Amino acid sequence: MNHPIVKNSITFDLPVDDVSEWTRIGRHNKRTKNLIIIGGYITIVISLAWSLFFLFVGFNFLLFTCIISIFTAAVQIALAKRNSVIVAAVLMTHLLFLTVTFACFADISGDGIPQSAQMNLLPIAAAAFLIFEKNNLYLRALFPAFGVLLFLFFELGLAPQPWPNLLIPIEIRTVSFWFNTLSGVLAASTVISIMRYTRKHERTLEAELRSAVSRGEFRLFYQPQVNEQGRIYGVEALLRWHHPTKSNVSPAEFIPLAEETGLIMPIGDWALRTACAQIVQWSKSPKTSELHIAVNISATQFQQPDFVQQVKHIISKSGASPAKLELELTESALMGDLEEVTGKMLALKEIGIRWSLDDFGTGYSSLSFLKHLPLDQLKIDQSFVRDMLNDERSSAILDTIIHLGQTLKLDTIAEGVEHENQLLILQEAGCAHFQGYLFSRPVPIEVLDDLIASSFPNSGKYPLTNAGLPQERIPISLEFSRATA
Ligand code: C2E
Ligand code: CA
Ligand code: CA
């Protein structure tokens, strides 16, 4: 069933049947990622302890299996951190399975002490069963079933003893019996609790967010971006959630939850479609045809393998000019394979889309990062603008970013401009584009239409609106001094 989402007279159908599936995938991936990372660290610690022991007693073969486990765990953690969750999970389950099986053959029963290494096969089977629940038959059923059968095979003492020379001394085997039993049971329960864990409030908020999507409680507000002449040349689209009881929920609150649950996919998709429809609307009037819309793209959205195709599809379906669309990314979205990130950006830049790096200066990326990415604009984070008047360091960073932009031939835009003295200093430093409460808060499209009408061709004055602006923030009117960029 599709529910219409109505926004500013533009109506879309949102495939809500898909929403719960997106939610499930998002949460499942997050849990799997946590499991792989936590499991990886635990494997490293346990394998390290065993390898020291095997090194000490000279069991080189078992030492070798421990080293493989440590290496595998390190690779699986790195892969999971780069969001290659399924690859990491396949690697983790299969290589751990192999090393534990080798260990089982070396863990020979005798002296009344049964084999115990096979206990470690249970958490591996449980992890595979829970992680690969929607994957192919081999991963979701055959592999876990084989793990359980192998566990029974060793547990019932049916395994041959290929390496009798490796018989571990009885004292050690007594300890390892308890250790393996405990670690096997604990690991299995950790796997189950990580994969099945749900918090009550998480469920409530998620349910609310999901129904918000299906009930069309989202709107896009638009915040003007102005040039040196105080003329609106574009806008940033910002989501608003009109919650039935909590009225306006800030995107700062619901975007992280939407990211976590996977709901960011339909929400981000809707925001992009709405913005494209607005571009088409604006293209019909000479007063608005030159305006661009900047849309925020979350890391999860950008990291989807078919992100480029999705954006192209939305653009071609809407008929919007790609040159009027700007996509804002934060540095977190750009983590991962630099070649892949650059490829995605270039593919969309080729059709005319501009790329802006949001919250610039707050992340940890190196400058060489900037050299490689096909960016068009740096968006100076509002914290530097806020602190520039009181903090020399912020002001120095601001100057450096503007200078960097000029050197790399990138546009710079300062966001969070609230006071005219901030504006004047920014202009003085060479910044030519601004966004902030000084000009206008984010406003609904009806208000924006009035603003555009009043700022065209160029009023040269600000604020463009004082809608919702506290009295003390309303600045006096001022003619801008510098020429248009
Ligand atoms: P952002 O992309 O850094 O957006 C700028 C935020 O600063 C907006 O908050 C805007 O209302 C606020 N702002 C603008 N001018 C001023 C100013 O002069 N002073 C102050 N103090 N604040 C100012 P908002 O709308 O609450 O959005 C918060 C964040 O939520 C955004 O930060 C963005 O990360 C995220 N977000 C909003 N809409 C979307 C969306 O459609 N998709 C995605 N993925 N994220 C979104
Ligand atoms: Ca932004
Ligand atoms: Ca920002």
Side-chain angles (χ1 to χ4, degrees), residues 244-310:
T245 53
K246 296 179 198 153
S247 69
N248 283 343
V249 183
S250 158
E253 235 177 279
F254 69 82
I255 293 285
L257 178 71
E259 287 243 20
E260 189 182 311
T261 56
L263 279 166
I264 193 67
M265 251 61 103
I267 296 174
D269 191 78
W270 173 83
L272 203 54
R273 280 192 286 157
T274 309
C276 284
Q278 194 56 58
I279 289 172
V280 173
Q281 200 100 306
W282 279 346
S283 69
K284 294 172 188 158
S285 158
K287 276 192 170 188
T288 49
S289 60
E290 290 306 311
L291 296 176
H292 77 255
I293 300 186
V295 177
N296 290 283
I297 301 294
S298 82
T300 316
Q301 267 177 289
F302 183 73
Q303 282 158 3
Q304 292 307 301
D306 60 347
F307 173 74
V308 171
Q309 288 85 336
Q310 278 178 24

Side-chain angles (χ1 to χ4, degrees), residues 223 236 238-240 250-252 255 264 271 296-298 301 328 358-359 382 415-418 436-437 442:
Q223 186 174 34
E236 178 177 5
L238 291 156
L239 267 169
R240 293 292 176 264
S250 158
I255 293 285
I264 193 67
N296 290 283
I297 301 294
S298 82
Q301 267 177 289
E328 288 193 9
D358 205 358
D359 303 340
Q382 46 185 289
E415 69 176 336
V417 183
E418 294 187 0
Y437 294 170

Side-chain angles (χ1 to χ4, degrees), residues 231-246:
R231 184 167 164 185
I232 301 175
Y233 69 94
V235 294
E236 178 177 5
L238 291 156
L239 267 169
R240 293 292 176 264
W241 176 6
H242 290 271
H243 190 281
T245 53
K246 296 179 198 153

Side-chain angles (χ1 to χ4, degrees), residues 36-351:
I36 292 169
I37 293 172
I38 295 170
Y41 284 122
I42 294 175
T43 308
I44 288 176
V45 171
I46 293 177
S47 304
L48 211 57
W50 277 118
S51 55
L52 287 176
F53 166 71
F54 292 136
L55 183 70
F56 183 68
V57 295
F59 287 161
N60 291 339
F61 173 68
L62 290 177
L63 173 65
F64 180 65
T65 61
C66 286
I67 291 171
I68 291 188
S69 297
I70 294 170
F71 178 72
T72 310
V75 174
Q76 89 194 26
I77 292 171
L79 283 170
K81 286 189 172 171
R82 289 171 63 171
N83 289 320
S84 301
V85 174
I86 287 295
V87 181
V90 171
L91 183 81
M92 173 181 81
T93 47
H94 286 68
L95 281 184
L96 274 182
F97 184 85
L98 279 181
T99 42
V100 171
T101 307
F102 273 124
C104 288
F105 279 114
D107 179 23
I108 296 154
S109 63
D111 306 318
I113 302 167
Q115 280 182 296
S116 58
Q118 73 277 6
M119 290 303 291
N120 295 302
L121 288 169
L122 288 180
I124 300 171
F129 180 69
L130 294 171
I131 291 172
F132 304 123
E133 57 178 10
K134 294 275 169 175
N135 290 86
N136 62 37
L137 181 72
Y138 164 71
L139 286 174
R140 74 168 189 272
L142 297 183
F143 179 77
F146 186 57
V148 174
L149 284 178
L150 207 65
F151 163 76
L152 291 173
F153 180 65
F154 288 112
E155 182 69 20
L156 298 173
L158 303 175
Q161 301 184 343
W163 306 296
N165 298 345
L166 283 181
L167 193 60
I168 302 170
I170 181 159
E171 307 78 38
I172 303 302
R173 291 176 53 241
T174 315
V175 175
S176 68
F177 172 76
W178 289 109
F179 184 81
N180 280 331
T181 308
L182 202 68
S183 71
V185 171
L186 277 181
S189 45
T190 308
V191 165
I192 293 167
S193 45
I194 290 177
M195 295 306 287
R196 292 272 179 248
Y197 180 68
T198 45
R199 283 176 298 154
K200 195 167 173 245
H201 84 267
E202 194 186 60
R203 283 205 304 267
T204 314
L205 254 183
E206 184 199 317
E208 283 180 352
L209 193 58
R210 189 190 292 124
S211 59
V213 174
S214 54
R215 284 192 213 146
E217 290 167 6
F218 291 105
R219 292 194 79 190
L220 276 190
F221 273 32
Y222 298 92
Q223 186 174 34
Q225 299 180 329
V226 302
N227 63 16
E228 286 185 296
Q229 294 180 315
R231 184 167 164 185
I232 301 175
Y233 69 94
V235 294
E236 178 177 5
L238 291 156
L239 267 169
R240 293 292 176 264
W241 176 6
H242 290 271
H243 190 281
T245 53
K246 296 179 198 153
S247 69
N248 283 343
V249 183
S250 158
E253 235 177 279
F254 69 82
I255 293 285
L257 178 71
E259 287 243 20
E260 189 182 311
T261 56
L263 279 166
I264 193 67
M265 251 61 103
I267 296 174
D269 191 78
W270 173 83
L272 203 54
R273 280 192 286 157
T274 309
C276 284
Q278 194 56 58
I279 289 172
V280 173
Q281 200 100 306
W282 279 346
S283 69
K284 294 172 188 158
S285 158
K287 276 192 170 188
T288 49
S289 60
E290 290 306 311
L291 296 176
H292 77 255
I293 300 186
V295 177
N296 290 283
I297 301 294
S298 82
T300 316
Q301 267 177 289
F302 183 73
Q303 282 158 3
Q304 292 307 301
D306 60 347
F307 173 74
V308 171
Q309 288 85 336
Q310 278 178 24
V311 175
K312 282 186 175 173
H313 177 70
I314 290 172
I315 289 176
S316 69
K317 219 174 151 196
S318 68
S321 160
K324 298 288 171 287
L325 184 64
E326 188 171 279
L327 299 182
E328 288 193 9
L329 289 176
T330 53
E331 287 174 31
S332 60
L334 304 173
M335 294 302 131
D337 183 14
L338 190 61
E339 236 175 80
E340 196 185 322
V341 167
T342 314
K344 282 182 178 176
M345 292 176 76
L346 277 175
L348 291 177
K349 198 181 166 91
E350 264 167 21
I351 61 166

Side-chain angles (χ1 to χ4, degrees), residues 442-458:
V443 289
I445 190 72
E446 311 79 52
V447 180
L448 183 74
D449 282 341
D450 293 345
L451 279 180
I452 292 166
S454 63
S455 103
F456 187 85
N458 172 22

